[in-house]
Amino acid sequence: MLKRYLLAPGPTPVPPEVLLAMARPIIHHRAPEFDPIFAEVRAGLQWLFQTRNDVLMLSASGTGGMEGAVSNFLSPGDKALFVNGGKFGERWGKICKTFGVQATEIKVEWGRAVDPQQVADALKKDPSIRAVYVQASETSTGVSHDVKTLGEIVKAHDNTILVVDAITALGVFDIKTDAWGLDVVVTGSQKALMLPPGMAFVSVSDKAWALADKAKNAAFYFNFKKERENQVKNQTAFTPTVSLIVGLQEVFKMLKAEGLDNIFARQGRLARAMREGIQAAGLTLFPKESPSDALTAVCAPEGIDGQAIYKNLRVQYGMTAAGGQDHLKGKIFRLSHMGYADTFDVIAALAATEMVLKGLGHPVQLGRGVGKAQEILMAK
């Protein structure tokens, strides 16, 4: 028997209480009993996003929310700025190109965070830029960007919005949507929200809605204005993911019982234990600065294939992590600790990593990483 562990940066584990809620008999999304569930979830999303804005629910992966965050606010020929510090920053540029947006790239070395001054300089040089696109947590590199400072910068430009992909950030570390002036914030169901894949969530500010009124890109399914008109009435424009929304109602019961500050503290403690445990085991973190608390990206030791580490974690010990993407394939592996994670997820991940490396011939001293993590996790 091989017990399975899911430590990939999405999908993440789903709590049993949530699975049981989703296993209830399906209800119709236009029936009266769906109305209070949808209303409760809408309020929960505002609480999590820390916003007064309506938070739209979309039947899509997080990328659907990203696409809508371009098509609903910009017209063909409009100018945008995007931060490319990894695979998902790169995706902003591809989406902009698809919708005819003239997107200028701020290229950041993978493993580093963007210098906010680069964004400030770009906006000063070209005030006609209508949107800035960035990740709060770049999943491919394990780096977080300073969206708080970026919010302060963009807020000073009346005709420019800041759009944040917080897909592996929201619910992991503090994201104050309104207080930081984040105009559009996107997340997905299968990360810290502890649900299966299938939903995207998008918070939209008044400033962004004003831009949406002028946008001329075509949007049918991901039409945010149409969704807003329906969702304020606790309905959706199209058939929603009913079971996931029922599951999300249960998720918010769990999250609110823990409290936002406690959630962020727990996630931060797990992240610190993983990072310091990895280093105590003699390994090197991939991020050169600003590591994300959602996941830890680790450099494969010289002479060891990172894909072999990733594969052996799964095959030998039932632990699904993630490998590197693009030019990082074979060079790093990634371990998630977001969402439904606790002390022993970190300890198991470190123990399995040490065992895999030992099996691959790397001179690791078993237990050193685990011991360091235990010290941190006991001192909470």
Side-chain angles (χ1 to χ4, degrees):
M1 183 179 71
L2 189 65
K3 184 175 180 179
R4 299 289 176 183
Y5 300 84
L6 184 57
L7 293 174
T12 62
V14 179
E17 301 95 318
V18 178
L19 291 171
L20 287 170
M22 293 190 296
R24 297 174 194 149
I26 194 78
I27 60 176
H28 196 276
H29 58 288
R30 307 298 186 202
E33 58 262 43
F34 187 66
D35 186 291
I37 296 171
F38 198 87
E40 185 177 333
V41 168
R42 284 181 63 226
L45 287 166
Q46 289 178 311
W47 170 80
L48 182 64
F49 277 74
Q50 300 184 64
T51 184
R52 293 181 179 179
N53 301 330
D54 290 313
V55 181
L56 305 178
M57 291 179 245
L58 307 174
S59 298
S61 68
T63 303
M66 292 175 71
E67 176 174 317
V70 174
S71 63
N72 281 272
F73 305 110
L74 299 181
S75 302
D78 278 350
K79 293 180 180 180
L81 186 69
F82 72 99
V83 174
N84 179 2
K87 189 68 177 174
F88 297 95
E90 178 185 84
R91 185 168 294 178
W92 279 130
K94 291 181 177 179
I95 297 171
C96 285
K97 183 178 179 181
T98 298
F99 288 97
V101 173
Q102 297 180 39
T104 299
E105 175 187 64
I106 293 181
K107 198 163 183 64
V108 180
E109 179 188 347
W110 287 32
R112 293 196 181 276
V114 68
D115 179 355
Q117 189 60 45
Q118 290 181 271
V119 174
D121 291 344
L123 292 177
K124 184 177 180 180
K125 182 179 178 181
D126 188 354
S128 66
I129 290 171
R130 289 290 164 263
V132 176
Y133 293 93
V134 68
Q135 270 61 40
S137 171
E138 174 53 68
T139 316
S140 64
T141 65
V143 170
S144 61
H145 294 297
D146 184 0
V147 295
K148 179 181 180 181
T149 299
L150 293 177
E152 294 169 356
I153 290 167
V154 176
K155 193 186 300 184
H157 297 263
D158 293 340
N159 297 312
T160 307
I161 60 171
L162 177 62
V163 182
V164 177
D165 163 6
I167 293 172
T168 55
L170 199 84
V172 177
F173 51 89
D174 204 4
I175 302 285
K176 297 185 187 299
T177 299
D178 288 358
W180 295 355
L182 312 182
D183 296 297
V184 180
V185 179
V186 181
T187 197
S189 58
Q190 77 276 24
K191 309 287 186 172
L193 278 175
M194 306 184 293
L195 288 168
M199 292 191 77
F201 309 94
V202 188
S203 169
V204 183
S205 72
D206 290 340
K207 185 179 180 183
W209 283 122
L211 207 58
D213 288 336
K214 303 171 187 174
K216 293 181 172 57
N217 257 309
F220 181 78
Y221 188 72
F222 296 130
N223 185 318
F224 286 3
K225 286 193 286 187
K226 185 187 295 183
E227 281 297 346
R228 186 192 198 191
E229 290 169 3
N230 282 271
Q231 294 192 20
V232 295
K233 297 180 286 189
N234 296 325
Q235 289 292 324
T236 53
F238 306 102
T239 304
T241 50
V242 173
S243 294
L244 291 183
I245 292 170
V246 169
L248 187 52
Q249 182 187 35
E250 193 66 33
V251 166
F252 281 128
K253 291 177 184 176
M254 297 175 65
L255 294 181
K256 287 185 175 184
E258 186 173 7
L260 282 180
D261 289 343
N262 291 330
I263 292 168
F264 302 147
R266 170 175 57 84
Q267 299 276 215
R269 184 170 58 250
L270 296 178
R272 181 181 164 224
M274 183 73 85
R275 289 195 292 264
E276 294 196 23
I278 284 292
Q279 291 173 305
L283 300 174
T284 302
L285 300 175
F286 178 71
K288 299 176 177 65
E289 58 193 6
S290 192
S292 170
D293 283 349
L295 71 152
T296 297
V298 187
C299 294
E302 191 171 348
I304 303 288
D305 181 4
Q307 290 299 100
I309 298 171
Y310 160 59
K311 179 181 178 182
N312 286 359
L313 282 170
R314 184 183 71 252
V315 173
Q316 293 179 340
Y317 301 112
M319 188 167 290
T320 298
Q325 295 177 284
D326 284 2
H327 64 280
L328 295 182
K329 189 173 183 178
K331 297 181 180 179
I332 70 169
F333 61 99
R334 296 171 293 149
L335 298 162
S336 168
H337 27 76
M338 73 179 110
Y340 188 52
D342 73 353
T343 293
F344 292 98
D345 290 301
V346 170
I347 289 173
L350 288 167
T353 299
E354 291 178 337
M355 292 162 75
V356 164
L357 288 169
K358 189 83 169 179
L360 290 171
H362 184 66
V364 62
Q365 185 176 333
L366 295 178
R368 289 194 65 180
V370 171
K372 183 62 178 176
Q374 287 175 314
E375 290 175 9
I376 293 167
L377 293 165
M378 287 183 70
K380 59 184 178 179

